[in-house]
Amino acid sequence: METLNGDLTEAYSKIKFLELEVIQANAKVSSKKLDEVLAHQKPFFDKSRLGYTRESSSSVKVSKEMKFVKAKELMVETSVVEKVKPEKKRNPELVEGKVDWKGRTAVKGKHGGARTALLVLAPFGFENMATLALAVNLTTYFNLVMHLELADAANELTNFLGASYILSILVAILADTYIGRYKAVLIGGCLELVALVLLVIQAHYPKLKPPPCNVFDPTSHCEKIGGISAVLLYVALYLLAAGSAGMKAVLPSHGADQFDEKDPKEKKQMSSFFNCLLLAACIGGAISLTLNVWIQDHKGWDWGFGISSIAILFAIIVFAIGLPMYRIQVIQRTNAIIEIIQVYVAAIRNRNLDLPEDLTKLYEIDHDHEAAMETEFLPHRDIFRFLDKAAIQHGNLEEAPNPWKLCRVTQVENAKIILGVLPIFCCTIIMTLCVAQLQTFSVQQGLTMDTSISKSFHIPPASLPIIPILFIIIIIPVYDRIFVPLAHKITGIPNGITHLQRIGVGLILSCISMTVAGFMEVKRKGVARDHNMLDAIPVIQPLPISTFWLSFQYFIFGIADLFTYVGLLEFFYSEAPNGLKSISSCFLWSSMALGYFFSTILIKIVNASTKKSTRSGGWLAGNNINRNHLNLFYWLLSLLSLFNFFIYLFVAKRYRYRPTNPK
C-alpha cells in the first residue's frame, strides 16, 4: 500500500511537471528561464531535472507538491511580468489630449509626426496657389474688367482680404468648441471651391460683367459693375473670404497638433513645421504668381479662376486622405474666450476685495491625478495682479461658484497671457498695412514699367512678388538647418533666437522696405518726367525703366516675412492656452485683417488731407499713378513703421513668457 502511494505521488509529480510545461508554452518563456525557476525550487542533488528528488516518497509527499505549486506560481508571475512589460513600453507612446478619427487615444508612430504633417503642408501650399494670385492681381481685375477707379479697386481688395482674415476668428472658435479642426478645414475648402466656380462663371459670360472699355482713356465713360452682376461678384468674393478663413485659421494649428510639445524631439520638429509652413506657402505662391497670373493676363480671367478651383480641389483631396493618420484635438465643448471674459468681469466685480497674503488661498479646483489628466493647470505669476481678484474666494464656499464672480487661478493666468500678448499683436498691424501697398500700388507701378526679360517674354507686374518668394524658398532651409543650430550654440535657445527677437527683426526690415520703395518711386517718376511720359498709358506705353527695380522693396520685405509672420505663428501658438490653440493662429490673421482695413482708412484719410494741396486731388487719387505722390505715401508708412518698432521694443522687453512646464 505504501509502495502504491509512492507511485501515485510520483505520477502526480509528473502531471504537475507537464502542467508546468504547458504554462511555459503559453507564456512563451524560454527553457533557460524555466530551468532557473526549477533550480530555485529543487535541491542541488536532483539529477533527474524533473523537479523532485529520489528520496522516499512517503517522507516527501507534501514537499513535492509544495515545490511544484511554488514553481507554478513563479511561472505565472513571470508570465504576468512578461505581458505587462510591453504595456509599459506602449504607455509613453500614447499622446495625451489627442485622439484618432475614431475617438481612440492617438499613438505615436501611428498617428501624427513629421510625415503626417506633410498632409497639412501640401493643402496649405495648394490653398496659397489658389489665392495669392488673386491677392496681388484682383486690383487689376477690379480696375480693368469691373471698371472701378484705382483707389476704389485697391480698397475693395483690402476689404476682401481683411474680411477673410477677420472671419478666421469666428471659424477658429467654431473649430475649437463645436465642429473640430478637421471638419472646419473641409468646410472651408468646399466654400472656397464654390466661390471660385462662381467667379469662373462670371468671368466667362459677358452678360455678367460690364462691357469692355479703356479705363485709361480720359475721354471714355466706362460703365462700372452694378445690379445682379455686382451681387454675384460680392457673394463669390465673400464666400471665398469665408472659405479661405477656414483654411488659414485651422490648418496651422491642426498641423502643430501632430507634434507633442512635451516631447523635446517633437517640439523641435514643430518649430521646423512652422518654417516649412512658410516654405509650402511660398512654393504654392511661386506657382500662383507665375502660372496663375500669366493665365489670368494672357488666357483670360475665367481660365485663371479655373486653375485656382483645381488647386483648391487638390487641397481638399490631399487633406482628406490623411484622416486615419491625424492626431485630432479633442473638442473642448467650452468656449475659452468666454472663460477669458469671465475673468475680466469677475475681477471688476471683486475690485473692492483685498488680495490674500497667502496666494494659495486663491481659488483652484483640486489638483488630483484625474483632474490633471484632463484639465490644464498653470502656476500663479506675479503680473497683472488686479486680475487675481477674480480668484478671491468669498461668500458661501459650499455652494457651486458663479463663474462670473469666481474663477480658477489657471483661468486667471490664461487671461493674463492673452492680455500680455495683445500689445505684441497690436505692434504687428502696421506691417500688414505695408504689405497691402505692395499688393496694390506696387503692382500698378509695375504696369507702367518695362516688363520684358527678353524680346519675346514679359513678366507680368503681378508676378513681381516671385522675387522674394524664390529667395525665401532658398533661405528657409538655410535658416532652419544652419542658422538655428549655430545660433543655438551661441544663445542656448532651442530655436536660435526668441520668438520676440525674430518678430522684431521683421518689423525693422519692413520699415527699410518702405523707405526703399519711396526712393524707387522717385526714380520711376523721374524717368517718366525726363521722357515726357507722365500721361503714358500703362502696359501699352511702358516707361524705359525695368520693372525689376521694384524687386528691391519686394526682396527686403520677403526677408521680413520670413522673420515676423513665422515668428508670430509660433509665438501665438506656444503662448496660447490649450483651449485657444486654433484661435492663436488667428492672432496673426486678425493682425493682417486690421492692417488691410487700416490701409483702406489711411488711404482715404491721406487723400482727404492732401486733396487741396495736389493737382491730382490727393496723393493717391485718380488712375494716373505718374501724377500721384506715391513716394510720399511710402515714406509716411516708413515713419509709422519706425515709430511702431520703438513701441514694440518697449513692449517686448517687458513681456514674460508663459511657464514652459506647468503642473
Side-chain angles (χ1 to χ4, degrees), residues 177-474:
T177 310
Y178 300 109
I179 62 176
R181 295 170 190 169
Y182 178 82
K183 292 180 181 177
V185 173
L186 289 180
I187 293 171
C190 292
L191 286 177
E192 275 196 274
L193 183 60
V194 171
L196 287 167
V197 170
L198 290 177
L199 289 174
V200 169
I201 294 171
Q202 183 171 41
H204 183 72
Y205 292 101
K207 292 183 179 180
L208 298 177
K209 55 187 177 182
C213 179
N214 184 3
V215 296
F216 300 113
D217 185 357
T219 61
S220 62
H221 299 282
C222 298
E223 178 186 344
K224 294 183 180 180
I225 187 171
I228 298 299
S229 299
V231 172
L232 178 60
L233 174 65
Y234 290 116
V235 167
L237 279 179
Y238 288 96
L239 270 180
L240 181 61
S244 182
M247 301 283 277
K248 286 183 171 66
V250 186
L251 270 176
S253 53
H254 179 71
D257 286 344
Q258 308 312 308
F259 304 95
D260 185 1
E261 288 185 278
K262 297 179 182 178
D263 185 331
K265 180 181 177 181
E266 291 200 4
K267 186 175 182 180
K268 185 177 179 181
Q269 290 177 334
M270 186 174 73
S271 180
S272 295
F273 164 77
F274 282 110
N275 288 328
C276 290
L277 197 71
L278 179 60
L279 180 62
C282 287
I283 293 173
I287 299 172
S288 183
L289 293 174
T290 50
L291 178 64
N292 285 25
V293 169
W294 186 87
I295 290 175
Q296 288 168 0
D297 291 347
H298 293 84
K299 298 297 182 181
W301 282 93
D302 50 351
W303 282 94
F305 292 135
I307 293 296
S308 296
S309 303
I310 294 172
I312 287 295
L313 181 61
F314 277 124
I316 296 171
I317 293 172
V318 172
F319 182 78
I321 288 174
L323 177 59
M325 294 172 279
Y326 290 138
R327 295 177 190 173
I328 299 175
Q329 178 70 32
V330 178
I331 300 175
Q332 300 294 322
R333 299 296 180 190
T334 57
N335 194 321
I337 289 184
I338 296 298
E339 291 184 352
I340 300 298
I341 295 174
Q342 286 173 344
V343 173
Y344 299 130
V345 173
I348 294 172
R349 298 178 74 169
N350 299 343
R351 63 187 180 278
N352 295 324
L353 300 178
D354 295 325
L355 286 170
E357 294 182 2
D358 185 3
L359 296 176
T360 59
K361 293 183 179 180
L362 295 175
Y363 174 66
E364 181 60 278
I365 62 175
D366 292 336
H367 194 329
D368 57 15
H369 175 71
E370 183 178 356
M373 291 293 290
E374 300 177 358
T375 307
E376 181 184 25
F377 287 88
L378 291 177
H380 177 270
R381 294 187 298 165
D382 194 22
I383 59 173
F384 302 126
R385 290 297 306 276
F386 63 91
L387 290 179
D388 289 338
K389 293 191 174 185
I392 297 177
Q393 302 185 70
H394 59 94
N396 189 349
L397 301 181
E398 295 182 358
E399 296 181 358
N402 182 345
W404 296 95
K405 290 183 179 180
L406 181 63
C407 304
R408 297 172 51 210
V409 170
T410 297
Q411 196 175 338
V412 172
E413 290 304 311
N414 284 336
K416 291 179 180 180
I417 291 171
I418 298 301
L419 190 60
V421 164
L422 280 179
I424 304 295
F425 163 81
C426 293
C427 288
T428 59
I429 294 173
I430 188 69
M431 184 170 173
T432 305
L433 199 154
C434 298
V435 171
Q437 315 320 315
L438 295 181
Q439 293 176 335
T440 54
F441 291 112
S442 292
V443 173
Q444 299 308 310
Q445 285 177 280
L447 286 174
T448 68
M449 302 168 77
D450 182 10
T451 61
S452 61
I453 296 178
S454 63
K455 293 182 178 180
S456 59
F457 183 76
H458 295 258
I459 181 172
S463 296
L464 283 175
I466 190 67
I467 297 168
I469 284 179
L470 290 176
F471 176 75
I472 292 174
I473 291 173
I474 297 171

Side-chain angles (χ1 to χ4, degrees), residues 479 483-498 501:
Y479 178 88
F483 174 78
V484 170
L486 288 176
H488 170 63
K489 291 180 180 179
I490 298 172
T491 63
I493 300 171
N495 298 330
I497 58 177
T498 66
Q501 289 171 342

Side-chain angles (χ1 to χ4, degrees), residues 116-148:
T116 305
L118 291 174
L119 297 174
V120 178
L121 294 173
F124 198 76
F126 279 122
E127 200 276 340
N128 210 41
M129 174 184 169
T131 57
L132 186 58
L134 305 181
V136 298
N137 215 20
L138 269 182
T139 303
T140 304
Y141 181 67
F142 293 145
N143 184 227
L144 300 183
V145 179
M146 300 303 174
H147 303 157
L148 301 179

Side-chain angles (χ1 to χ4, degrees), residues 45 265 454 528 589 639:
F45 53 82
K265 180 181 177 181
S454 63
W589 310 128
L639 289 174

Side-chain angles (χ1 to χ4, degrees), residues 71-89:
K72 179 177 179 180
E73 289 175 351
L74 283 171
M75 282 305 304
V76 172
E77 291 175 359
T78 304
S79 66
V80 171
V81 170
E82 292 295 321
K83 291 179 180 179
V84 170
K85 282 182 179 178
E87 292 181 2
K88 288 183 178 178
K89 292 181 181 178

Side-chain angles (χ1 to χ4, degrees), residues 17-216:
F17 178 74
L18 292 174
E19 290 179 356
L20 189 61
E21 288 188 323
V22 172
I23 294 171
Q24 176 191 8
N26 291 337
K28 298 182 179 179
V29 179
S30 65
S31 60
K32 182 179 179 180
K33 290 185 178 180
L34 177 61
D35 290 340
E36 291 174 356
V37 174
L38 293 177
H40 178 72
Q41 293 295 320
K42 62 182 183 294
F44 73 95
F45 53 82
D46 179 10
K47 303 297 182 181
S48 66
R49 302 187 68 80
L50 295 178
Y52 59 90
T53 68
R54 295 287 185 179
E55 298 180 31
S56 171
S57 59
S58 60
S59 63
V60 294
K61 179 178 180 180
V62 177
S63 64
K64 291 173 183 175
E65 294 177 6
M66 289 295 293
K67 289 173 185 176
F68 279 100
V69 169
K70 289 180 180 178
K72 179 177 179 180
E73 289 175 351
L74 283 171
M75 282 305 304
V76 172
E77 291 175 359
T78 304
S79 66
V80 171
V81 170
E82 292 295 321
K83 291 179 180 179
V84 170
K85 282 182 179 178
E87 292 181 2
K88 288 183 178 178
K89 292 181 181 178
R90 285 195 295 268
N91 283 340
E93 295 181 353
L94 298 177
V95 185
E96 184 181 329
K98 303 291 193 302
V99 297
D100 66 2
W101 67 293
K102 291 185 177 180
R104 301 168 299 192
T105 303
V107 180
K108 287 185 181 179
K110 183 178 180 181
H111 305 109
R115 287 183 295 180
T116 305
L118 291 174
L119 297 174
V120 178
L121 294 173
F124 198 76
F126 279 122
E127 200 276 340
N128 210 41
M129 174 184 169
T131 57
L132 186 58
L134 305 181
V136 298
N137 215 20
L138 269 182
T139 303
T140 304
Y141 181 67
F142 293 145
N143 184 227
L144 300 183
V145 179
M146 300 303 174
H147 303 157
L148 301 179
E149 288 191 3
L150 184 57
D152 294 334
N155 286 341
E156 288 294 343
L157 175 60
T158 53
N159 289 341
F160 157 70
L161 294 173
S164 174
Y165 291 127
I166 209 73
L167 283 171
S168 65
I169 299 175
L170 176 61
V171 174
I173 293 173
L174 292 174
D176 280 345
T177 310
Y178 300 109
I179 62 176
R181 295 170 190 169
Y182 178 82
K183 292 180 181 177
V185 173
L186 289 180
I187 293 171
C190 292
L191 286 177
E192 275 196 274
L193 183 60
V194 171
L196 287 167
V197 170
L198 290 177
L199 289 174
V200 169
I201 294 171
Q202 183 171 41
H204 183 72
Y205 292 101
K207 292 183 179 180
L208 298 177
K209 55 187 177 182
C213 179
N214 184 3
V215 296
F216 300 113

